[in-house]
Amino acid sequence: MKFRIVGAVAFSFAVAGCTHVPQTPFERLFRKGAEDCGFPITLESTRKVMDTLEIDYPTRAQFWDAISEVCKVTKAGNRSKTIEIRVRDSHGVLRIIVVERE
């Protein structure tokens, strides 16, 4: 019985340690682009944008459209904790994504 409890605790620590995934260079580039506009974006929001728009490399038009949309909304005077950006994905569908500030 004691070994099961110790095993369960060890397993939970192992799973918790393996869930952190470092950011990719593309995510780092996206965060840097948004930060240059004055909107430091969280890593979770960056991943949500990348997954929603199906961005797998930074030469896609959606990548730069998303950064320019963040800049446009920020420069319009929106200084709230979250902003809403509207960007077309790779299939041409307009997506609305809520992006959170750090």
Side-chain angles (χ1 to χ4, degrees):
M1 182 70 176
K2 291 181 184 177
F3 290 115
R4 285 189 204 168
I5 294 172
V6 171
V9 171
F11 181 72
S12 66
F13 282 131
V15 169
C18 295
T19 56
H20 175 71
V21 178
Q23 61 182 342
T24 65
F26 306 137
E27 291 170 344
R28 204 173 305 128
L29 182 63
F30 188 86
R31 290 182 75 194
K32 176 71 173 143
E35 189 175 308
D36 288 344
C37 295
F39 194 83
I41 190 172
T42 62
L43 183 59
E44 293 81 24
S45 292
T46 303
R47 288 189 174 147
K48 184 168 54 170
V49 169
M50 298 290 226
D51 291 340
T52 303
L53 299 179
E54 299 171 359
I55 299 172
D56 50 355
Y57 51 92
T59 57
R60 286 186 161 268
Q62 293 84 13
F63 183 83
W64 300 109
D65 289 345
I67 291 176
S68 66
E69 184 69 22
V70 169
C71 292
K72 186 170 70 172
V73 171
T74 304
K75 291 189 194 257
N78 193 340
R79 297 287 179 189
S80 63
K81 178 78 174 158
T82 61
I83 60 173
E84 196 174 86
I85 62 172
R86 293 179 167 99
V87 184
R88 295 200 179 275
D89 66 2
S90 60
H91 304 290
V93 178
L94 185 66
R95 302 286 183 173
I96 300 172
I97 306 166
V98 177
V99 180
E100 188 173 330
R101 178 189 300 263
E102 279 187 341

